[in-house]
């Protein structure tokens, strides 16, 4: 018996007789357990998160375009992988 079968038996014995697969379970999720330091937050989160959802004021789009060359995959993954909603919003 392999580990997956053992886990399935353990779950069933614990009462988990019906389990559903979430519709987005195939998507890759980014998780970064490290704390974002204050300089990173000051540069990549604070200037944007309060304005992103305000569709009446799109000044933040111009600011993003100005720094687009500085935005790396690593920065975006760091933002998306954070537990806090503010960095995730900016990363998205």
């Amino acid at each position: 018996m392999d580990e997956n079968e053992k886990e399935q038996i353990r779950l069933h014995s614990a009462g988990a007789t019906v389990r559903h697969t979430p519709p987005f379970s195939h998507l890759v999720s980014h998780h970064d357990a490290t704390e974002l330091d204050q300089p990173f937050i000051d540069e990549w989160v604070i200037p944007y998160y309060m304005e992103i959802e305000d569709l009446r004021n799109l000044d933040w789009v111009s600011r993003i375009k100005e720094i687009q060359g500085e935005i790396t995959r690593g920065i975006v993954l760091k933002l998306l992988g954070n537990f806090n909603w503010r960095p995730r919003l900016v990363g998205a």
Side-chain angles (χ1 to χ4, degrees):
M1 186 176 322
D2 68 15
E3 290 302 315
N4 184 42
E5 289 173 319
K6 288 179 185 176
E7 179 63 10
Q8 296 302 318
I9 291 169
R10 186 192 70 72
L11 289 170
H12 184 79
S13 298
T17 56
V18 177
R19 292 184 304 281
H20 301 281
T21 303
F24 301 108
S25 61
H26 65 284
L27 297 177
V28 175
S29 177
H30 303 286
H31 176 72
D32 187 351
T34 60
E35 284 285 321
L36 298 179
D37 60 17
Q38 195 59 49
F40 183 87
I41 293 169
D42 291 343
E43 182 176 0
W44 295 107
V45 180
I46 291 174
Y48 308 105
Y49 83 92
M50 288 292 286
E51 298 177 10
I52 284 178
E53 292 183 330
D54 184 1
L55 298 177
R56 295 165 300 188
N57 180 4
L58 298 177
D59 291 341
W60 63 273
V61 175
S62 300
R63 293 198 320 269
I64 291 288
K65 287 180 179 179
E66 290 172 11
I67 62 163
Q68 67 183 338
E70 299 173 39
I71 302 170
T72 65
R73 184 180 192 324
I75 289 171
V76 174
L77 291 179
K78 204 169 179 179
L79 291 165
L80 290 174
N82 193 265
F83 179 75
N84 188 306
W85 66 270
R86 292 166 187 90
R88 287 197 322 265
L89 176 67
V90 174

